[in-house]
Amino acid sequence: MNISHIEHLGIAVENLEESIKYYEDVLGLKCYSIEEVVDQKVKTAFFLVGTTKIELLESTSPDGPIGKFIEKKGPGIHHLAFAVPNATEALKIAEDRGVRLIDKESRKGAEGLNIGFLHPKSTLGVLTELCSKE
Amino acid sequence: MNISHIEHLGIAVENLEESIKYYEDVLGLKCYSIEEVVDQKVKTAFFLVGTTKIELLESTSPDGPIGKFIEKKGPGIHHLAFAVPNATEALKIAEDRGVRLIDKESRKGAEGLNIGFLHPKSTLGVLTELCSKE
């Protein structure tokens, strides 16, 4: 698996523009990128905090994963993403160790990374992403 | 405020021993410390992932903050802690910027750090901790 660090933390927000203001004006962080990930039905804003990114996620549709999450739980931390050398291999290792996968194979996510999700039923309630540049 | 990195991520778990097994045997991380924080009614286990710690939190009492959190939301990510040079000063800055505080002054937390919490109603639903060595 060889997790090197927390690549990012995904945070579900109701309004991206207002949330960027909070992260910039209150916490003093700097948004360096805004990106839409069409197949995930989200608009994202990125901040770098040390070696970890904070990825704010606003749903572009009520039936997208973030829209459903906010409807059920309200805004807040949505997922935890670990950096690994190879996401596809790490997904296989997790499956071999008994973890239920959401993604059997890695796919392209925000910032061009290869990503895959583990199911929160197998990860003690934490929606967990594995991601790699390769 | 001068946030340097994510100091730790607090994750509420139902059973510390089983959860340590998942983080070690599945994710391949290494628990380096187990500590009880009596006034928070929690037993904690720490893992280092890059420069950020993961702090697993098991409640030692149903009426403690983690016990209540799990009863309401189930196990999962509980709070996000930013490292700052001085937690007391950072709390004052946050208050000046309109944030509602849980802790008006910093207090001692796990690992001897000075810590203080911002109220999730002011932080877009993310229970946020500021912590410093000083």
Side-chain angles (χ1 to χ4, degrees):
Chain A
M1 180 94 48
N2 286 319
I3 291 169
S4 58
H5 61 287
I6 297 176
E7 209 282 331
H8 68 268
L9 208 58
I11 299 179
V13 302
E14 284 174 319
N15 181 304
L16 199 63
E17 206 175 325
E18 280 175 20
S19 304
I20 290 171
K21 260 194 190 158
Y22 164 74
Y23 279 83
E24 292 201 327
D25 298 347
V26 176
L27 296 181
L29 303 174
K30 179 79 195 139
C31 175
Y32 71 86
S33 169
I34 292 175
E35 187 182 340
E36 187 165 343
V37 185
V38 176
D39 74 332
Q40 288 296 300
K41 299 179 180 173
V42 289
K43 212 163 69 173
T44 66
F46 286 93
F47 301 78
L48 191 61
V49 195
T51 54
T52 295
K53 296 162 196 160
I54 286 180
E55 180 185 15
L56 302 183
L57 301 149
E58 181 196 89
S59 190
T60 54
S61 161
D63 70 345
I66 295 301
K68 285 182 193 162
F69 177 87
I70 286 183
E71 198 188 327
K72 196 173 161 192
K73 301 197 173 190
I77 300 176
H78 176 259
H79 68 269
L80 168 60
F82 293 113
V84 292
N86 184 307
T88 299
E89 280 175 20
L91 288 169
K92 278 189 192 128
I93 291 167
E95 192 173 32
D96 287 347
R97 292 175 180 170
V99 172
R100 180 172 154 196
L101 304 182
I102 293 176
D103 299 297
K104 288 267 175 191
E105 299 280 333
S106 66
R107 54 186 168 84
K108 283 284 168 197
E111 299 198 311
L113 293 177
N114 295 314
I115 66 153
F117 280 91
L118 313 182
H119 198 286
K121 292 225 169 173
S122 288
T123 59
L124 310 170
V126 178
L127 177 60
T128 301
E129 181 180 347
L130 301 172
C131 46
S132 65
K133 288 181 183 165
E134 304 303 320
Chain B
M1 180 93 48
N2 285 321
I3 291 170
S4 59
H5 61 286
I6 297 176
E7 210 280 331
H8 68 269
L9 206 59
I11 298 179
V13 300
E14 284 174 319
N15 181 302
L16 199 63
E17 207 175 325
E18 281 175 19
S19 304
I20 291 170
K21 261 193 190 160
Y22 165 75
Y23 278 83
E24 292 200 327
D25 297 348
V26 176
L27 296 181
L29 303 173
K30 178 81 196 137
C31 174
Y32 70 87
S33 169
I34 292 175
E35 188 182 339
E36 188 165 344
V37 185
V38 175
D39 74 333
Q40 288 296 299
K41 301 181 179 172
V42 288
K43 213 161 70 171
T44 66
F46 286 94
F47 301 77
L48 192 60
V49 195
T51 54
T52 295
K53 296 163 197 159
I54 286 180
E55 180 186 15
L56 302 183
L57 300 149
E58 180 196 271
S59 190
T60 54
S61 160
D63 69 344
I66 295 300
K68 284 183 194 163
F69 176 87
I70 286 183
E71 197 187 328
K72 196 172 160 192
K73 301 197 171 191
I77 300 175
H78 176 260
H79 68 269
L80 168 60
F82 293 113
V84 292
N86 185 306
T88 299
E89 280 175 21
L91 287 169
K92 276 187 194 132
I93 291 168
E95 193 173 32
D96 288 346
R97 292 176 180 170
V99 172
R100 180 172 153 196
L101 304 182
I102 292 175
D103 299 297
K104 289 267 177 193
E105 300 279 332
S106 65
R107 55 188 168 82
K108 284 284 169 196
E111 299 199 312
L113 293 177
N114 295 314
I115 66 154
F117 280 90
L118 313 182
H119 198 286
K121 292 224 171 177
S122 289
T123 59
L124 310 171
V126 178
L127 177 60
T128 301
E129 180 179 347
L130 301 172
C131 45
S132 66
K133 289 181 183 166
E134 302 305 316

